[in-house]
Amino acid sequence: MYGVVIVGGGPAGLSCALTLADGARRFDFARKPIAVVDSGSSDVLKAVLNNVPGVKRGTTGEEYLEFLRAQVEEFEEVNLIEGEVAEVTGREGEFKVVLSDGRELQAELVVFATGFHSFPVKTDLVEVVPHPKSPRPGKIALRPNAPGVYVAGLAAGVITMVASAAGSGVEVACDILSKWAGRVVVGHDKIGG
């Protein structure tokens, strides 16, 4: 059983996984395994990044995702899974995530970081709504309908910028870490600690 299954391996999903894995170690939680299911279709793969804080101007989206994946892979509790999610059912503590090839994952919590183009996943755990900040019509956002369900990145309705999507993933991870701790926690990095 995974502590968290993240549906989407773009900037939001990978940033969420990175923050969760680091935070679980930092705050001495039992190291709950984390899965990131990535269909390989993130919009950032088509981008050249010129305005992302901390990222060299001209970095391709593919290079950026490779860097994020390498950071995430440093944590043995994170499992990067190639595939597409077909269905998510259940409730907090016992979600079932079914991939299009029939593989099944069990999770305590689920994060949808699926972008803003469409949402082909069969589930009643989120409501599909018009994206509130998209510069293009017809884009979607998701609203959670159940405890233990989180939404990050463009699917959460943030402005369509890479830094905003990544930050949204980090924010969701901080919310989950705080839930696990029973209090607000933030994993600040500092020299000497």
Side-chain angles (χ1 to χ4, degrees):
M1 160 113 28
Y2 287 100
V4 181
V5 169
I6 300 167
V7 182
L14 291 172
S15 295
C16 184
L18 176 64
T19 304
L20 279 172
D22 181 66
R25 285 185 180 181
R26 183 181 307 263
F27 297 108
D28 266 345
F29 297 133
R31 292 193 182 159
K32 298 182 182 210
I34 300 160
V36 179
V37 182
D38 182 18
S39 67
S41 61
S42 175
D43 277 349
V44 80
L45 290 168
K46 300 177 262 181
V48 175
L49 307 178
N50 293 313
N51 59 5
V52 178
V55 176
K56 184 179 175 187
R57 183 175 175 76
T59 297
T60 67
E62 187 173 348
E63 291 168 332
Y64 176 67
L65 286 183
E66 285 175 13
F67 178 75
L68 281 177
R69 279 189 206 103
Q71 283 185 295
V72 168
E73 287 174 335
E74 291 177 17
F75 294 91
E76 62 190 29
E77 54 268 46
V78 180
N79 187 11
L80 298 177
I81 300 169
E82 291 182 23
E84 292 186 24
V85 172
E87 183 176 16
V88 182
T89 59
R91 62 182 182 186
E92 185 171 6
E94 50 188 51
F95 290 112
K96 181 167 79 170
V97 179
V98 181
L99 279 62
S100 60
D101 63 7
R103 289 179 287 171
E104 293 184 4
L105 310 173
Q106 305 295 322
E108 296 174 15
L109 306 172
V110 175
V111 177
F112 291 101
T114 53
F116 74 152
H117 290 292
S118 65
F119 187 69
V121 178
K122 181 180 175 187
T123 187
D124 61 359
L125 298 172
V126 294
E127 175 186 1
V128 179
V129 299
H131 195 285
K133 296 182 180 177
S134 173
R136 293 180 274 167
K139 302 306 176 192
I140 59 107
L142 305 174
R143 288 199 184 124
N145 285 336
V149 176
Y150 298 83
V151 181
L154 302 187
V158 301
I159 197 91
T160 60
M161 297 283 291
V162 170
S164 297
S168 175
V170 170
E171 183 175 10
V172 165
C174 289
D175 289 345
I176 291 170
L177 291 168
S178 296
K179 177 183 182 77
W180 288 344
R183 62 183 171 79
V184 175
V185 295
V186 180
H188 293 294
D189 292 323
K190 59 185 178 184
I191 294 174

